[in-house]
């Protein structure tokens, strides 16, 4: 698909994202998403190390925050689905009783609340990358790079994800 607007009235994203306009709130959301992924692995009786790596690089005109887990990862279709704003993504929305979210807003709120970001996720040897950013006209956009691709050794080293996981 490549570059496209987030599928919702753009004003809704702007209003919602202001609630997450701090590193602390974004960090809590991203850590919680990783923890939810580990919980799903635990419930499926899969081995999970539970490690979440956090990197923060301060720069003169901003910062780079990275949250990396070594949990489930997401295939491309799932990663693309979570871009739908307000959709039912969480296990709670499917009646499974796990997770916190219900309206499909946390990840996008966290990223747009602090600026822009990239989701890179590895699932079963495939890498999906989605960039979330503001367009020249202020609209909330994403670039899904047209789909996933095989993950390379260089990708794994850069991301620090030897198996499945998400940064």
């Amino acid at each position: 698909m490549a570059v496209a607007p987030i599928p919702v009235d753009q004003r809704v994203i702007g209003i919602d994202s202001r609630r997450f306009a701090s590193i602390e709130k974004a960090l809590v959301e991203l850590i919680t998403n990783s923890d939810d992924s580990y919980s799903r692995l635990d419930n499926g009786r899969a081995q999970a190390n539970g490690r979440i790596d956090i990197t923060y690089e301060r720069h003169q005109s901003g910062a780079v925050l990275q949250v990396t887990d070594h949990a489930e990862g997401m295939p491309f279709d799932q990663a693309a689905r979570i871009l739908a704003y307000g959709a039912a993504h969480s296990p709670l929305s499917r009646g499974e009783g796990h997770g916190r979210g219900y309206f499909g807003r946390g990840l996008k709120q966290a990223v747009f609340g602090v600026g822009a970001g990239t989701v890179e996720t590895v699932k079963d040897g495939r890498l999906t990358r989605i960039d979330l950013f503001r367009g020249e006209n202020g609209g909330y956009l994403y670039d899904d790079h047209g789909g996933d691709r095989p993950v390379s050794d260089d990708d794994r080293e850069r991301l620090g994800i030897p198996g499945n996981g998400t940064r």
Side-chain angles (χ1 to χ4, degrees):
M1 171 169 254
V3 176
I6 299 291
V8 69
D9 186 312
Q10 300 286 291
R11 296 170 299 170
V12 173
I13 298 173
I15 291 166
D16 258 1
S17 294
R18 285 192 281 279
R19 290 184 32 222
F20 278 74
S22 76
I23 292 292
E24 297 86 359
K25 289 179 181 176
L27 187 57
V28 167
E29 177 62 31
L30 298 174
I31 291 170
T32 305
N33 284 353
S34 291
D35 190 56
D36 288 349
S37 184
Y38 281 120
S39 291
R40 286 188 295 274
L41 284 175
D42 290 342
N43 289 337
R45 307 292 188 262
Q47 290 285 350
N49 69 11
R51 192 173 97 204
I52 300 170
D53 300 318
I54 300 165
T55 305
Y56 179 83
E57 295 176 18
R58 187 176 181 282
H59 300 277
Q60 286 183 343
S61 61
V64 175
L65 172 66
Q66 295 177 341
V67 176
T68 306
D69 67 47
H70 308 273
E72 301 168 294
M74 290 179 278
F76 177 78
D77 62 331
Q78 180 183 0
R81 233 183 3 259
I82 67 170
L83 295 173
Y85 208 84
H89 307 301
S90 74
L92 181 65
S93 69
R94 296 188 300 268
E96 295 173 15
H98 305 295
R100 319 147 283 105
Y102 199 80
F103 297 108
R105 295 168 19 202
L107 171 68
K108 293 170 291 294
Q109 281 178 318
V111 171
F112 288 128
V114 297
T118 299
V119 176
E120 290 183 280
T121 185
V122 177
K123 177 74 173 185
D124 299 332
R126 305 289 298 176
L127 172 69
T128 296
R129 176 187 172 125
I130 298 176
D131 298 315
L132 299 162
F133 57 95
R134 301 286 301 269
E136 291 179 15
N137 67 353
Y140 296 91
L141 305 173
Y142 70 93
D143 183 350
D144 65 11
H145 300 273
D148 63 358
R149 63 174 175 76
V151 64
S152 70
D153 291 340
D154 289 343
D155 294 324
R156 290 192 180 282
E157 183 175 336
R158 178 179 53 80
L159 294 169
I161 301 174
N164 291 335
T166 301
R167 173 183 283 173

